Amino acid sequence: MMMTPERLEELAAMSDPDKLWQLDINERKALPPEKKAQLEISIALRRYAVHQQRLSIALKSKQSLLITPMSKNSQAVKFVDIPADTRPKLLSEALSA
């Protein structure tokens, strides 16, 4: 079952009622371990929500989503056309799922 980006955002908000994700880096470093875990959970859920939203956009626009790691904490994201020889098979499988 795929969760919608909206539901993932709701879960992120529920997991971080203190809005720790809005703290600056120095405040984050000073958090106790249980608050750091709370922060990591909410950030992971938000990142997954963004990823699911991008996948949905790619599917609707009949494109591929390329994600290239740039460093440990960053990535380049690009939507590109699906090669013509694979397009019919990929789209029919995705749309029927």
Side-chain angles (χ1 to χ4, degrees):
M1 177 180 142
M2 184 179 99
M3 293 217 173
T4 66
E6 295 79 17
R7 180 63 179 149
L8 290 165
E9 286 288 344
E10 288 174 16
L11 292 172
M14 290 169 50
S15 71
D16 186 13
D18 304 321
K19 298 184 179 182
L20 299 174
W21 63 277
Q22 295 178 343
L23 297 176
D24 70 44
I25 190 69
N26 292 324
E27 292 174 304
R28 289 181 182 188
K29 288 181 180 179
L31 291 171
E34 64 276 1
K35 291 292 183 180
K36 284 184 181 179
Q38 178 181 325
L39 172 65
E40 290 170 357
I41 291 166
S42 70
I43 289 173
L45 285 166
R46 283 183 173 85
R47 286 180 179 164
Y48 187 52
V50 168
H51 180 69
Q52 289 298 333
Q53 187 175 37
R54 287 175 178 157
L55 287 174
S56 178
I57 291 167
L59 183 59
K60 288 176 186 171
S61 64
K62 300 179 181 176
Q63 292 184 306
S64 285
L65 176 64
L66 296 181
I67 302 172
T68 305
M70 302 303 284
S71 71
K72 183 179 176 184
N73 296 316
S74 70
Q75 56 193 334
V77 178
K78 185 175 183 179
F79 292 93
V80 298
D81 291 332
I82 299 172
D85 60 338
T86 59
R87 188 176 306 139
K89 181 180 177 187
L90 290 173
L91 291 176
S92 65
E93 289 174 2
L95 295 173
S96 66

